[in-house]
Amino acid sequence: MNSIDIENFLDRKGIKPTSNLTFQATGRYNSRRITAQGTLESDWDVEAGARKNIGSWGISLLCKDIFNSKETNNVIYGNGYTRSIRKWSGGRTLRLSVTYTFGKSDSHEHNHHNHIDTGGYGEEHHH
C-alpha cells in the first residue's frame, strides 16, 4: 500500500493546511475467490471521513459506501444446477458526530480528537 504525505505536498505548493482538520479515505477490494461450492465474485467499496476540531469540540462526518457498491454475489455449483445469491449491504450512509472534551488536556491527550472512527475494517486510524 502506498502512502502520500499530503501536508508535505501542500506545503511545497504554498498551501498551508489547517492543523485541526483531518481527512481519511479507505477503499476495500476483494478479487474473485474460488470456494468448495462455487465462487464469490469480486466486490469493493469506499468510505471517507473528515474531522474538524474547534477548541474542545470535535465534529466529524463519515460517509460509508460512497459509490453504493457494497454488494456480494455468491455462485454455487451443484450436480445439475447453478445458484446465484446476491446480497446488498444497505447502501450509502452518512454519520455526523459531535464530541466535547471536558477539563484540562495537553496536546498529547488531545490527539484523540484527530481520530476518525471508520466503523469498519478492523483497526482504528489515528492522524
Side-chain angles (χ1 to χ4, degrees):
M1 183 181 295
N2 295 332
S3 64
I4 300 170
D5 186 352
I6 293 176
E7 283 190 44
N8 225 357
F9 174 78
L10 293 175
D11 192 40
R12 283 186 275 142
K13 300 293 182 193
I15 303 168
K16 297 289 183 194
T18 62
S19 62
N20 60 357
L21 177 65
T22 56
F23 176 79
Q24 176 182 328
T26 305
R28 183 186 60 85
Y29 173 78
N30 289 312
S31 62
R32 184 175 188 248
R33 294 152 328 262
I34 306 291
T35 67
Q37 295 83 20
T39 61
L40 291 171
E41 298 301 318
S42 62
D43 64 324
W44 63 280
D45 64 285
V46 177
E47 63 184 39
R51 180 168 183 85
K52 173 81 171 167
N53 294 325
I54 305 167
S56 294
W57 290 93
I59 302 168
S60 62
L61 180 65
L62 172 68
C63 183
K64 296 182 73 73
D65 197 11
I66 293 171
F67 301 105
N68 208 20
S69 62
K70 205 170 193 178
E71 178 181 32
T72 58
N73 187 18
N74 187 0
V75 181
I76 300 171
Y77 302 103
N79 198 4
Y81 73 92
T82 300
R83 182 175 179 184
S84 180
I85 303 168
R86 297 186 90 121
K87 296 178 185 175
W88 182 54
S89 72
R92 177 180 314 114
T93 57
L94 284 174
R95 181 170 59 188
L96 175 68
S97 65
V98 178
T99 57
Y100 182 80
T101 303
F102 292 93
K104 184 178 171 183
S105 68
D106 63 15
S107 63
H108 177 66
E109 292 175 18
H110 205 281
N111 277 340
H112 73 276
H113 267 308
N114 291 331
H115 164 76
I116 301 169
D117 177 10
T118 61
Y121 307 134
E123 65 186 65
E124 297 175 343
H125 302 279
H126 297 275
H127 297 277

